[in-house]
Amino acid sequence: MKLPVRLAALAAALLVCAACVPQSSGTTSSDRDDRTGTLRVWLFQEVGNAPKEKVVDSVVTAFEKAHQGTEVDVEYIPVETRAQRVKAAFNDPGSAPDVMEFGNTDTAGYVRDGGLLDVSEEFGAWNEAEDVDPTARQSVTVGGKVYGAPLYVGVRALYYRTDVFEELGLRAPRTMAELASTARRIRAAEPGLYGLVVGGAYTYGAMPFVWAHGGELATGEGGSYTSAIDSPAARKGIEAYTSLFSDDNCPAAKCAGMGGNDTVTAFAAGKAGMAIGGDFSHAAVEAGKVKGKYAVVPLPGVKPGSVAPAFAGGNNIGVLRSTSHRTLAVDLMKRLASKSTQGRLFDAMGFLPTFTDVRQQAAAKEPFVKPFVRTLAAGTRFVPASPAWSRIDSSQVLPTMFQEVVSGRKSVAAAAEDAAAKMNDAFGSAG
């Protein structure tokens, strides 16, 4: 997959973040490299975790067989409490795991905190790494150095009710303007349905509207970032998204507080004609009332035939700098993130592989993957590679902005200006 222009810009922004990188990040803090003993691993606890555990167990068994005298202790930790657990691990190496799963938006912050090991050399020598897609590679890269291996990628697309569309004589929308008009036609014909269910607390469902209109979250220069959410282009995207919170589509009183899971749940329950959901939402939709009555297409952009840029979410696997088993830990990291493991995790959990060839195989095997692969191929976006992002995200800066607009408390310009000020405070405090 060729590197899109916007990904090239992202790569350049990440390369200038060298100030984030601890000077000693290329070596372990323990200065030991034991080749036997117990390795501790933290992975995320999923909803319905048993299939993931089965895949991981097979990897661990093969690893222990290949390295006599080693044992692997895997603990599944709740995603919601990861921040506290990881912070404690960074502060107390004795309690820290050797290998850890983490969200790709956490990378820059963990590097700033000195918690992740620079594995650039090992990653570069890994023969499978050449097939990792550019977006996923950037998610483990800070200041030009690599701090882990991508595990899976997640993107969002447009789910729509085929039965409703057939009954009303509708076609899948080809532009954002057509998306809005189609949503309102559904709501007018079926008052019991949301046309396009949207959420005021659904940051990554909203951002494609900003990006499609030419806006950005932030711009970066010299390793620092400045918010761009109040730019004219970004405001057009904010206006396009918030205009959907209306009685003729998704009433603000019902939808302003919704997050991404809420919107997918509403669609799966048969309460909406359309929803913006991820490849990771497929299982939930299949388990709902709309099973067999929906299809998925890429979220359309502003121009006919274009695809709105999606957020490239997903998780990574990394080695902690405090490990005393560097060689073993890096090998286990590569095994957990390998093509074989990612293929099995796709079969078991629906996680979209980060290797382009494995992803194409998955798309050939399961047709539902194809629109998400098309979305990835069209070019995706990522959050600013700054440790400040975790503060911006956790303090709900962008959801607050959207909710202020849809409630009528502030204009788009005023809400965007306030959000930009909060983002800049965070960027400034991050150094």
Side-chain angles (χ1 to χ4, degrees), residues 261-288:
N261 288 345
D262 298 320
T263 63
V264 171
T265 298
F267 180 82
K271 297 178 181 179
M274 296 181 287
I276 299 168
D279 52 277
F280 42 84
S281 305
H282 177 257
V285 175
E286 277 288 289

Side-chain angles (χ1 to χ4, degrees), residues 146-180:
V146 177
Y147 292 89
L151 180 62
Y152 68 86
V153 64
V155 292
R156 292 164 176 82
L158 182 69
Y159 286 72
Y160 70 95
R161 289 277 298 277
T162 51
D163 56 337
V164 173
F165 273 59
E166 182 177 353
E167 180 183 342
L168 300 180
L170 302 172
R171 66 183 182 189
R174 297 176 299 174
T175 66
M176 281 196 164
E178 194 171 311
L179 175 70

Side-chain angles (χ1 to χ4, degrees), residues 97-149:
D98 298 275
V99 179
M100 179 177 73
E101 179 179 357
F102 55 95
N104 61 12
T105 59
D106 294 327
T107 306
Y110 291 172
V111 170
R112 187 272 314 271
D113 293 339
L116 295 178
L117 182 68
D118 173 4
V119 294
S120 302
E121 184 176 349
E122 293 94 337
F123 189 85
W126 186 23
N127 62 353
E128 294 191 355
E130 63 183 8
D131 293 323
V132 173
D133 78 52
T135 304
R137 184 186 295 266
Q138 292 305 324
S139 78
V140 292
T141 304
V142 179
K145 297 182 179 181
V146 177
Y147 292 89

Side-chain angles (χ1 to χ4, degrees), residues 69 147 169 172 215 275 299 327 367 419-420:
Y147 292 89
L299 184 68
T327 300

